[in-house]
Amino acid sequence: MRCLRRIVVVVLAVLFLFGSVLPSCPAQVAPAKRPMIVAHYMPWFEVDAPTGRWGWHWTMNAFDPKLIVNDRRSIASHYYPLIGPYDSGDPAVIEYHLLLMKLAGIDGIIVDWYGLSAVYDYPIVHRNTSTLFEMAAKFGLRVGICYEDQTVPILVNLHKITGDERVSHAEGELKWLRQNWFSNPVYLRLHGKPVLLSFGYGGLSDAEWKRVLGTAGADVIYLSEHRKRPAADGGFDWPQPQIGLAALDSYYGALKQGDIAVPAAYPRFHDIYKEAKAQDGFPRILDEDGKTFRLTLQRAIDSGAAIVQIATWNDWGEGTNIEPSKEFGYRDLETIQRLRRGSGRSRAVSPADLHLPLRLWGLRSREVKEPSLKASLDAVAAALASGRTSKARAILNRLDRAAEKAD
């Protein structure tokens, strides 16, 4: 679904490159401080065990995950998760993801959210996002929302709402967010206000966004993609494969004094759309053995922005994932650890500690047959969340020794 928005993105990017939206003088940034690093998170993956079917984001109606070749399921991605294809609603998977982020030095997540309507997989995305809020609170991570307002014209086309109800529908979604998630203590905030992103320009128009926010928009920091909409407080960046890394200069150069910027860091762009026959696909942004991620993340940290967004944690279809994979292992998380230390964050956590959440995830599957394990595994999770990796490792080693004796 995300691929359909990139036609609009490339038009905006060309405008940036040719200076039609550049200010007369570049923005002045404050000296680099330790920013909040958040990872854009996709909660949309489904596997057959809990749902009876494999979701579109693993198959794209072209791949069959039931097919296993060389110990790998056939999935809609050029890359393969270290834990294999998973269900985004699995608490053990969410725990694994959030603990990896915590150990890497990531402060929170921005969740791709499609609203409250009961169409397509939107209810699954909403349910999984609710679970993310619950579990993030346990591990001391922040959660923000990126609202996919492309859902509005989709609902009109499905005759779920009328064209005259576009604004009122989005107002209802925002009202629900205010009443439920914006007030949550773990919600991502800046200057004391909840942060809300919207993706692309294929949904609400600039004028409609202004009406949606209305006078109540003052209590929210609203950020639009790439450029600042008239009703927005600033803009967040995103990979632009049609332009590549040159787009970074466009984004940073177009910032205006006083606008809130959320620059993006990303490892590569390598989508599977052409192979899946979903569309022609986009040019690649090369991984360059990790150089792309190091460059984009360092530049984002050095920009002086209060928030840096990693794009993405787990968009496997577009190949922008930093979640550990068979191809890259923990490399990108180790990069975050190193740069975090360089920006003034002192942590005793080591690259070797990044392997501990995988061991915990592997043991969670035994809980059904061995309920007595739960207390020990919960203690491991709590220790990892608080940075007590030696304690977590000691418990895991003890459990391994006990399992060996039982065998």
Side-chain angles (χ1 to χ4, degrees):
M1 286 182 281
R2 182 177 297 282
C3 61
L4 299 177
R5 298 179 298 226
R6 297 195 179 278
I7 295 173
V8 177
V9 170
V10 71
V11 173
L12 292 170
V14 169
L15 289 174
F16 275 129
L17 281 178
F18 283 92
S20 60
V21 294
L22 290 177
S24 57
C25 57
Q28 300 297 314
V29 297
K33 297 180 180 178
R34 185 181 76 80
M36 181 180 297
I37 295 181
V38 295
H40 199 94
Y41 191 93
M42 279 62 187
W44 56 33
F45 295 103
E46 300 172 77
V47 302
D48 62 346
T51 63
R53 67 189 179 109
W54 287 87
W56 185 88
H57 293 282
W58 287 132
T59 71
M60 294 193 186
N61 298 330
F63 295 85
D64 183 3
K66 294 177 183 177
L67 254 150
I68 302 175
V69 180
N70 296 327
D71 295 324
R72 294 192 182 197
R73 295 184 182 275
S74 174
I75 60 172
S77 177
H78 292 292
Y79 308 106
Y80 202 81
L82 203 58
I83 61 171
Y86 50 78
D87 193 277
S88 293
D90 184 346
V93 170
I94 296 174
E95 178 183 69
Y96 164 73
H97 286 168
L98 298 184
L99 288 175
L100 277 171
M101 294 179 197
K102 190 79 175 181
L103 294 174
I106 295 172
D107 299 293
I109 56 178
I110 299 285
V111 187
D112 224 46
W113 185 68
Y114 286 74
L116 302 166
S117 300
V119 299
Y120 301 136
D121 61 351
Y122 301 174
I124 292 169
V125 168
H126 178 70
R127 180 200 66 201
N128 294 344
T129 304
S130 296
T131 305
L132 282 163
F133 270 96
E134 295 169 10
M135 298 190 69
K138 291 170 53 179
F139 301 138
L141 291 166
R142 297 285 180 176
V143 182
I145 292 296
C146 180
Y147 176 46
E148 294 276 2
D149 64 350
Q150 63 161 318
T151 56
V152 177
I154 289 173
L155 292 172
V156 173
N157 291 338
L158 292 173
H159 305 292
K160 300 294 183 182
I161 62 174
T162 67
D164 293 338
E165 294 173 321
R166 287 166 57 97
V167 170
S168 61
H169 172 79
E171 285 175 333
E173 304 277 53
L174 187 56
K175 180 180 179 181
W176 188 94
L177 288 171
R178 282 193 176 98
Q179 293 175 343
N180 293 271
W181 289 342
F182 285 175
S183 59
N184 191 309
V186 305
Y187 196 87
L188 178 67
R189 306 179 81 83
L190 185 62
H191 308 315
K193 298 179 182 180
V195 177
L196 175 68
L197 281 61
S198 72
F199 207 105
Y201 295 85
L204 299 171
S205 68
D206 288 355
E208 286 174 324
W209 260 111
K210 191 172 183 179
R211 290 169 59 195
V212 168
L213 290 167
T215 56
D219 67 352
V220 175
I221 288 181
Y222 166 54
L223 305 171
S224 48
E225 185 188 4
H226 296 307
R227 69 172 174 86
K228 176 184 177 296
R229 289 178 184 262
D233 298 285
F236 67 94
D237 200 17
W238 197 259
Q240 298 181 53
Q242 302 91 337
I243 301 171
L245 295 182
L248 294 173
D249 293 332
S250 302
Y251 176 76
Y252 288 108
L255 296 176
K256 294 182 180 179
Q257 193 72 266
D259 289 350
I260 295 173
V262 178
Y266 43 89
R268 73 197 76 82
F269 189 99
H270 188 194
D271 70 63
I272 197 77
Y273 297 138
K274 185 174 183 179
E275 292 85 341
K277 296 181 175 60
Q279 64 162 28
D280 287 340
F282 294 90
R284 288 180 64 177
I285 298 175
L286 298 178
D287 181 89
E288 299 284 10
D289 293 325
K291 181 181 177 181
T292 298
F293 188 55
R294 293 193 299 272
L295 183 153
T296 56
L297 182 55
Q298 185 69 71
R299 186 166 183 181
I301 290 173
D302 291 344
S303 72
I307 299 175
V308 168
Q309 181 173 214
I310 296 172
T312 63
W313 176 261
N314 62 338
D315 194 335
W316 294 96
E318 293 192 349
T320 55
N321 50 284
I322 66 161
E323 177 187 343
S325 64
K326 295 286 188 181
E327 293 76 17
F328 304 109
Y330 298 88
R331 185 200 68 192
D332 297 327
L333 301 189
E334 292 174 7
T335 294
I336 298 170
Q337 280 188 336
R338 287 193 299 272
L339 293 184
R340 269 310 214 184
R341 293 191 184 99
S343 63
R345 179 166 182 151
S346 177
R347 292 181 66 95
V349 177
S350 71
D353 294 327
L354 292 169
H355 297 250
L356 298 176
L358 179 63
R359 294 175 63 185
L360 173 61
W361 171 82
L363 288 169
R364 283 295 188 188
S365 61
R366 287 171 46 188
E367 270 188 44
V368 177
K369 293 182 179 179
E370 302 175 59
S372 60
L373 277 176
K374 186 177 187 309
S376 294
L377 298 182
D378 288 348
V380 170
L384 291 175
S386 60
R388 295 173 293 157
T389 55
S390 296
K391 178 177 180 180
R393 184 177 284 103
I395 298 173
L396 289 168
N397 290 344
R398 174 172 55 79
L399 292 173
D400 286 345
R401 289 193 296 270
E404 289 173 3
K405 287 182 181 179
D407 291 341

